[in-house]
């Protein structure tokens, strides 16, 4: 972690293959098991805190994007190279 602006991407393929990128470079790969068979449609997406608001996060999001598929390495690097503005 650092205090400067940082580009972080997490991808997960349908088969479970997961990758974490920082500044367009792969820093970790692995497998995350599971599927959406028991997904509760009432779940809410919360970023940077708990839903209850009792664990405040002191960071700043400059951009959050959620895709319906895992980006590949080329797409991650393209987004990183586009910059923050």
């Amino acid at each position: 972690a650092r205090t400067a602006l940082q580009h972080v991407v997490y991808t997960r393929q349908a088969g479970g293959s997961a990758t974490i990128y920082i500044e367009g470079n792969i820093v970790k790969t692995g497998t995350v098991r599971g599927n959406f068979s028991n997904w509760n449609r009432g779940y809410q997406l919360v970023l940077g805190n708990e839903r209850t608001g009792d664990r405040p996060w002191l960071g700043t999001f400059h951009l959050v994007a959620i895709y319906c598929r895992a980006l590949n390495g080329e797409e991650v690097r393209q987004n990183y190279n586009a910059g923050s503005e």
Side-chain angles (χ1 to χ4, degrees):
R2 61 183 196 186
T3 58
L5 189 61
Q6 193 169 33
H7 185 262
V8 179
V9 176
Y10 171 83
T11 65
R12 181 183 178 278
Q13 301 282 343
S17 177
T19 306
I20 298 174
Y21 300 83
I22 297 180
E23 314 299 19
N25 299 305
I26 295 174
V27 295
K28 183 74 176 172
T29 61
T31 302
V32 178
R33 298 185 332 174
N35 58 51
F36 290 110
S37 64
N38 63 346
W39 184 258
N40 179 335
R41 292 186 182 271
Y43 289 160
Q44 297 179 342
L45 175 64
V46 178
L47 300 172
N49 200 333
E50 297 289 330
R51 186 171 171 263
T52 57
D54 63 349
R55 294 184 183 193
W57 181 64
L58 302 178
T60 302
F61 291 111
H62 289 263
L63 172 69
V64 174
I66 300 172
Y67 296 85
C68 64
R69 62 174 180 79
L71 298 180
N72 63 42
E74 182 178 329
E75 293 167 318
V76 171
R77 284 185 294 283
Q78 176 182 327
N79 288 348
Y80 171 67
N81 290 330
S84 61
E85 305 200 33

